[in-house]
Amino acid sequence: MDLNTITDVRDARTREPWRPGDAWLGGGTYLFSEPQPRLRRLVDLSRMDWEPLTRHPYGSLEIAATCTIARLSRHGRRFLDAPAAPLVEQCCRAFLASFKIWNMATVGGNLCNGLPAGPMISLTAALDGSCLLMAQDGSTREVKVADFIRGAGVKDLAEGELLRSVTLPGRALECRTAFRQASLYGLGRSGALVIGTLDPVDGSMAVTVTAATTRPFRFWFPLPPTAGRLRAVIDAAVTGPEWFDDIHGLPEWRRHMGLRLAEEVRRELTRTPGEGAR
């Protein structure tokens, strides 16, 4: 879609004061998908030359905000030697988008849109990711992905502040994972997406509920919970208005699916190979 209110496109490498009507331009798959009447100038990040994916000491993985979904998918399948690697591809596939979108859409854009069904939000929140945010004066701060998204389309991002990258800790990448997704349609937007992780070192479990809720909810247990305990914790934390409501699913259905998928994830992670579900 043509953005007929845009009067200028600036290279982000050129430092200029942030002004009303500015917006960061990454892949542009959202910006150019609908009218943006309040915008006047785009600040283009495409020439920042940030390394898309960086492995750090102790196994952590830093994903640049400008890393495309296609690049992340290739890395997860070919280069990320970790038990949680399959989760990367599962979340990439949750986009249900064409190859054109995959090659343009960015991880940072998906997070900054803050949409409940954003699968990069699901991936990075479930793996205890941290966002590195950069202000106009060059100062930085870190915030957990689960706290970065505050509601549907609402994020912890100040005016002119930039999401530089998101880092997944090495310990999270060593976890066993379980993935469940539900949609009202065979090729529809996620109505509920639940991810479980089991730490091989201390046996702790985390269950992250997204898509069904207005923001990601990550529940951590020092030991795998019982079915009743897991259900009670989710119901106590996610209040009525926080079950998302739109044409892709009513809150009652989303709550039902969120609880059901959470229990499926718990069962998968608490059984050993060859053991029946419990």
Side-chain angles (χ1 to χ4, degrees), residues 128-191:
D128 199 25
S130 296
C131 297
L132 177 63
L133 308 178
M134 184 180 299
Q136 287 291 297
D137 62 5
S139 61
T140 61
R141 63 187 179 99
E142 289 190 13
V143 59
K144 292 287 189 182
V145 173
D147 298 321
F148 177 67
I149 308 297
R150 294 180 169 180
V154 182
K155 55 274 184 186
D156 181 10
L157 203 59
E159 185 74 12
E161 198 170 28
L162 170 69
L163 172 60
R164 169 63 180 83
S165 64
V166 57
T167 298
L168 308 179
R171 184 161 178 172
L173 293 171
E174 293 300 319
C175 289
R176 279 180 55 200
T177 64
F179 173 95
R180 293 291 189 280
Q181 179 192 22
S183 172
L184 285 176
Y185 314 100
L187 293 175
R189 181 179 294 180
S190 297

Side-chain angles (χ1 to χ4, degrees), residues 13-276:
R13 294 174 300 177
T14 304
R15 298 294 295 269
E16 292 182 20
W18 189 264
R19 62 194 191 195
D22 281 358
W24 298 109
L25 172 62
T29 54
Y30 164 71
L31 278 178
F32 289 94
S33 70
E34 62 182 42
Q36 308 288 346
R38 68 176 188 84
L39 299 185
R40 299 295 179 268
R41 183 174 68 164
L42 300 180
V43 184
D44 186 7
L45 296 168
S46 64
R47 298 181 182 179
M48 295 300 286
D49 293 329
W50 293 332
E51 187 64 32
L53 299 149
T54 305
R55 292 302 296 268
H56 291 294
Y58 305 106
S60 64
L61 175 66
E62 183 177 9
I63 308 170
T66 50
C67 177
T68 64
I69 305 307
R71 182 63 178 266
L72 180 63
S73 171
R74 288 195 299 269
H75 182 85
R77 284 185 283 128
R78 299 179 184 178
F79 306 114
L80 184 57
D81 182 19
L87 187 61
V88 174
E89 184 69 7
Q90 289 170 319
C91 288
C92 287
R93 293 290 169 186
F95 267 102
L96 300 175
S98 72
F99 72 92
K100 296 179 182 179
I101 298 297
W102 271 46
N103 281 282
M104 292 299 296
T106 63
V107 173
N110 194 244
L111 266 74
C112 289
N113 279 342
L115 300 179
M120 295 298 99
I121 297 173
S122 306
L123 171 68
T124 54
L127 293 179
D128 199 25
S130 296
C131 297
L132 177 63
L133 308 178
M134 184 180 299
Q136 287 291 297
D137 62 5
S139 61
T140 61
R141 63 187 179 99
E142 289 190 13
V143 59
K144 292 287 189 182
V145 173
D147 298 321
F148 177 67
I149 308 297
R150 294 180 169 180
V154 182
K155 55 274 184 186
D156 181 10
L157 203 59
E159 185 74 12
E161 198 170 28
L162 170 69
L163 172 60
R164 169 63 180 83
S165 64
V166 57
T167 298
L168 308 179
R171 184 161 178 172
L173 293 171
E174 293 300 319
C175 289
R176 279 180 55 200
T177 64
F179 173 95
R180 293 291 189 280
Q181 179 192 22
S183 172
L184 285 176
Y185 314 100
L187 293 175
R189 181 179 294 180
S190 297
L193 200 159
V194 180
I195 296 171
T197 61
L198 185 67
D199 192 310
V201 177
D202 63 11
S204 62
M205 179 184 289
V207 176
T208 304
V209 181
T210 56
T213 52
T214 58
R215 58 185 177 87
F217 283 85
R218 187 174 188 271
F219 304 99
W220 181 86
F221 303 91
L223 292 172
T226 63
R229 169 70 174 157
L230 176 60
R231 184 184 183 93
V233 167
I234 294 175
D235 265 340
V238 188
T239 61
E242 289 174 316
W243 293 106
F244 194 46
D245 183 8
D246 72 352
I247 61 172
H248 299 284
L250 294 173
E252 294 80 3
W253 176 78
R254 291 181 189 268
R255 174 181 175 273
H256 170 75
M257 293 307 301
L259 292 170
R260 174 179 171 175
L261 299 184
E263 172 56 14
E264 290 182 9
V265 160
R266 185 197 71 85
R267 288 186 179 187
E268 179 176 333
L269 292 178
T270 53
R271 66 173 182 259
T272 56
E275 180 185 9

